[in-house]
Amino acid sequence: MQNPLEQLDLQQLRQRTSVKWRAYPPDVLPLWVAEMDVMPADPIVRALRDALETGDTGYAHGPEYPRAAQEFASRQWGWNGFPAESAKSVPDVMMGIVEVLRLVTEPGDPVVVNCPVYPPFYAFVTSAGREVVESPLTTGGRIDLERLGDTFRTLSRTHSRIAYLMASPHNPTGAVHARDELQAVAELAQRYAVRVVVDEIHAPLVMPGASFVPYLSVAGSENAFSVLSASKAWNLAGLKAALALAGPDARADLARMPEEVGHGASHLGVIAHTAAFRDGGPWLDALLAGLADNRDLLGRLLAETLPDVGYAPAQGTYLAWLDCRHLGMHEAHRQRPGVVSALEGPARFFLDHAHVALSSGHVFGTGGAGHVRLNFATSQAILTEAVERMAAAVDGDR
């Protein structure tokens, strides 16, 4: 099967109207938001075409989506305990996370996150009236279990309800948590009565050499939750649908989720996600091979043209977390007064001087300043041009 990342050129991509391609001027190469430069997998196209041709555009209904996800989990991860029967439909992963947090916490309760981490963890949790508490990653971008335990212990002295929101695989570092790490998390959560909620949206996007372990498959996760979808792996962000899952001791909590939450999922989204999980395996295999090649290409390009940029190849996701602190632009390129933007430091520099849009590290929380997140789910030609532009801009600034 053809590499899905090599089917479209820049001219074709610029015809798109999604935020990735319309947020910046047309001379900017957008390698920021988590959209892939691919065409949909054929099974998804067929399923949506059939729905439109038969007028099947009503309200979502039925168990096919969780069953398809259950089948995928069994094939892909060897997980036969996927709780399909108790799964709840939610509009998307972040909205599902918020609704789960509302089930097990109250306004003002702490929600622990491992920073630097996906920026909506801060925005959505804060908007829901909960307090974000940071427990930083190790310098290697993995969960710092000792620090996490200290955070749980300290919070347990003053709070009766604590939640821990984990990204698995981690966004932005691309770390794929090993079973022993997840087992240690579960033991800490049990010890300090912490409710774990896991964002597993990137779960299908694991590179060769790493293995994804569903958190709910780990001993001690019985009162935890997971929220997942086919969104990231099959590029379905515009077709809203996700699933909230619960361990056996948390299913009574999940059953309390208000009925109206399930109405937020799009019927066409449910159809698309079901087709992806059920029949999109060959397409996903081709994509993962292409992503692995791009990850390696990015490493070579950075080593050759931007050797001062720190880069640890991601085990999962299609995101690269680049340490640009040695470039000396952390303080020099802050957000300009009067400009509505979420860019500082190297991200601002690369946009202004290289016309490459990247995600600014400072919005990922403590430890993110001086970094950028780069989306390498594009063609090798676009990826190469972007890094060459970045290198030329750095050389020109010296």
Side-chain angles (χ1 to χ4, degrees):
M1 181 175 288
Q2 182 181 0
N3 180 355
L5 296 165
E6 298 295 340
Q7 292 180 321
L8 300 168
D9 60 28
L10 191 57
Q11 183 178 0
Q12 292 170 307
L13 289 165
R14 291 205 185 280
Q15 297 174 20
R16 295 186 168 182
T17 61
S18 66
V19 66
K20 179 177 183 179
W21 292 96
R22 293 302 172 95
Y24 293 99
D27 62 339
V28 172
L29 291 179
L31 276 64
W32 62 294
V33 72
E35 295 180 25
M36 294 192 289
D37 295 343
V38 296
M39 290 295 291
D42 286 343
I44 297 171
V45 174
R46 288 195 299 270
L48 291 173
R49 182 184 294 121
D50 289 347
L52 292 172
E53 288 179 348
T54 60
D56 188 10
T57 56
Y59 296 107
H61 174 72
E64 291 308 304
Y65 183 15
R67 286 178 183 169
Q70 181 182 43
E71 294 163 7
F72 178 84
S74 178
R75 291 194 309 271
Q76 199 79 358
W77 307 319
W79 183 30
N80 296 317
F82 187 99
E85 298 304 316
S86 60
K88 290 288 187 178
S89 175
V90 292
D92 58 33
V93 167
M94 276 313 304
M95 292 302 296
I97 287 169
V98 168
E99 294 299 332
V100 169
L101 288 173
R102 285 183 173 139
L103 296 173
V104 295
T105 62
E106 298 291 339
D109 286 340
V111 178
V112 179
V113 302
N114 296 129
C115 57
V117 73
Y118 183 49
F121 278 18
Y122 294 92
F124 280 65
V125 170
T126 302
S127 180
R130 277 64 177 169
E131 178 189 3
V132 175
V133 177
E134 294 185 322
S135 183
L137 300 168
T138 67
T139 56
R142 305 196 73 85
I143 299 172
D144 188 329
L145 293 165
E146 182 176 357
R147 199 161 189 173
L148 185 65
D150 290 342
T151 303
F152 288 173
R153 181 171 56 254
T154 299
L155 290 173
S156 69
R157 293 171 182 155
T158 54
H159 295 82
S160 61
R161 292 178 301 269
I162 307 165
Y164 170 47
L165 177 54
M166 177 170 55
S168 180
H170 192 81
N171 175 3
T173 67
V176 175
H177 309 309
R179 181 171 291 277
D180 60 344
E181 291 175 297
L182 297 176
Q183 185 69 62
V185 166
E187 291 170 1
L188 288 172
Q190 283 188 320
R191 185 181 310 164
Y192 296 108
V194 174
R195 303 301 295 274
V196 179
V197 183
V198 189
D199 173 356
E200 295 184 327
I201 196 170
H202 288 280
L205 295 168
V206 172
M207 302 292 179
S211 298
F212 174 74
V213 178
Y215 184 74
L216 295 184
S217 71
V218 173
S221 68
E222 289 80 10
N223 72 340
F225 303 87
S226 166
V227 190
L228 54 77
S229 79
S231 174
K232 287 294 177 278
W234 285 273
N235 209 46
L236 302 175
L239 291 163
K240 296 283 191 180
L243 296 171
L245 311 176
D249 295 343
R251 287 172 194 170
D253 290 318
L254 189 60
R256 294 188 288 106
M257 183 174 285
E259 180 185 354
E260 61 267 21
V261 174
H263 290 239
S266 158
H267 181 41
L268 292 178
V270 168
I271 289 171
H273 288 243
T274 301
F277 277 132
R278 184 158 284 160
D279 301 312
W283 185 93
L284 178 63
D285 290 343
L287 172 73
L288 289 172
L291 289 175
D293 288 343
N294 281 13
R295 178 191 61 174
D296 297 343
L297 171 64
L298 176 61
R300 293 194 299 273
L301 291 170
L302 291 172
E304 293 167 2
T305 65
L306 286 169
D308 291 334
V309 171
Y311 169 62
Q315 295 177 302
T317 80
Y318 45 75
L319 306 168
W321 186 237
L322 307 183
D323 184 350
C324 302
R325 288 175 291 180
H326 291 296
L327 297 180
M329 58 184 65
H330 175 37
E331 295 295 332
H333 297 276
R334 289 196 174 276
Q335 182 172 321
R336 296 173 294 184
V339 176
V340 179
S341 173
L343 300 183
E344 281 188 6
R348 167 56 60 188
F349 174 83
F350 287 127
L351 179 63
D352 290 347
H353 298 279
H355 294 184
V356 175
L358 307 169
S359 297
S360 187
H362 78 284
V363 300
F364 290 78
T366 300
H371 294 71
V372 295
R373 192 190 73 176
L374 181 151
N375 173 355
F376 57 82
T378 187
S379 70
Q380 295 205 350
I382 292 174
L383 181 60
T384 299
E385 181 179 348
V387 176
E388 289 176 347
R389 287 189 189 188
M390 292 162 65
V394 170
D395 288 341
D397 193 53
R398 287 173 173 162

